[in-house]
Amino acid sequence: MFVLIADRVLAGPDLEVINGGAVIIAEDRIVWVGREADLSADQYPPDADVRWLGDVTLMPGLIDAHVHLAFDGSPHPVARMMAESDEQQVALMLRSARELLSVGVTTARDLGARGYTDVVVRDAIANGTARGPRLLTAGGAITTTGGHCWFMGAEADGIDEVRKMVRRHHKAGVDVIKLMSTGGNMTPGSAPWHAQFTTDELRAAVDEAHRLGKRVAAHAHGTEGIRRALDAGVDTMEHCSFQTEDGMGGADPELADRIAASDIYVSPTCNFRMREFRVLMKGRDFALGELYRRGAKIIASTDAGIDNTPHHGFVGGLVAMSEFDIPIAQVLLSATSRSAHALGLADRTGQLAAGYEADLIAVAGDPRTDLRALDELRLVLARGQEFTPDALPAIEPLPEDFLPMSMRSMLEHDHGGTSSDRDAAAAMAEPAALVR
Ligand SMILES: [Zn+2]
């Protein structure tokens, strides 16, 4: 049993501050949250682990709504996935999970892995064999034949096949269904601005998933794929970048308003590379600020594991969100209680309240005034188990001649249809780009 006493406790779904607060934890549960002044010794046994943490903020553990444990965050994660056996992938995924927990991420939604390796890793963490965040898993992202991330092994075409793939995933024990509504930047022959599935195919998948009690995350970059996913009734819209053939023109206002008026959460891929991308892609209009201004419900999501995006940069993504003029208080909610709500975990995690699972962090200073305080972890508890963060390698800046993948796809497109042009464009970006 823990009794944690801190200068600040961010309590409840709204992260309301209790100055001079305390939290009591029994096994994997929070049993009491309140003012230290109201704490009495008869609330806990004499052998409880009582910790006076001082000038720290106790708050819910962080939630990343979009990661890929099976991508290693190197410049070439897809090449590695293709080269490795499922067993090798599991080893990598266990490392990725520790990295996430080492930066205070106590819940993560893995939106695409091969061979149900994610389900194996989720269960190993849940039963205490390995350490990591609570995982929600999707199995292979469901895509069209040859479509974005086909190498995850979940290709399906037409209403019947899509429906059957959802059932197969359900049988294998996934938590959530991931649909590739558009192409993406990581797969050759796939363009992010092209819609992949018809609205009817998407709707069949959503209906089947909902019938089975599972939520649906739609990967959607281009406007048409966003529209179809919205019409089909998905639960979270991943990326939502409004990427077009010739760049990014920002959010389509009408669609952004429809998203804001719907129950959908936007999971926008704002990671610690965003600051560098905004410099590299000067003049391009990122949709995130506009989506927020129009009232879309935003949750923190990084796509951790993709190119040059290792799993231990979560806090940098929150800082990048705030640079789109999203207030810090909103950013913190997007990484805690709001995200728990979006992921269907609102009654289990994402807030400090009696009855909730004990996922919490203590950070030096006050993240409500400086998000970088989240980098100063003093305590991590995942479902009541203390975790000592691993030493993590420094994150290097991108090379000066680096082109973001989204820009690279546009460049390849601008250079026309000949493969030699595409090769040249890709080679300019980086030598192994065509492996993706
Ligand atoms: Zn992803």
Side-chain angles (χ1 to χ4, degrees), residues 182-204:
T182 69
N185 292 303
M186 296 175 89
T187 310
S190 161
W193 49 87
H194 284 154
Q196 295 198 143
F197 287 114
T198 63
T199 308
D200 285 343
E201 287 170 316
L202 295 172
R203 198 173 277 131

Side-chain angles (χ1 to χ4, degrees), residues 263-312:
D263 294 332
I264 288 180
Y265 289 83
V266 174
S267 171
T269 317
C270 186
N271 58 48
F272 68 89
R273 292 294 182 201
M274 183 56 88
R275 182 179 280 179
E276 288 160 287
F277 287 174
R278 289 182 83 176
V279 174
L280 287 165
M281 300 173 76
K282 235 189 186 110
R284 309 273 180 176
D285 198 358
F286 289 84
L288 176 54
E290 179 76 359
L291 284 163
Y292 174 74
R293 277 189 298 280
R294 288 181 179 268
K297 294 171 279 297
I298 311 282
I299 52 175
S301 87
T302 65
D303 225 352
I306 60 165
D307 303 48
N308 301 294
T309 311
H311 290 271
H312 55 282

Side-chain angles (χ1 to χ4, degrees), residues 167-185:
R167 291 176 182 170
R168 277 179 55 187
H169 277 11
H170 171 69
K171 186 179 178 188
V174 307
D175 304 282
V176 56
I177 296 298
K178 168 85 174 293
L179 299 174
M180 296 302 202
S181 185
T182 69
N185 292 303

Side-chain angles (χ1 to χ4, degrees), residues 202-219:
L202 295 172
R203 198 173 277 131
V206 171
D207 287 351
E208 197 62 22
H210 286 175
R211 181 180 74 81
L212 296 166
K214 293 182 192 332
R215 297 188 183 208
V216 176
H219 157 108

Side-chain angles (χ1 to χ4, degrees), residues 66 68 111 178 239 303 306:
H66 189 147
H68 298 275
L111 287 183
K178 168 85 174 293
H239 315 304
D303 225 352
I306 60 165

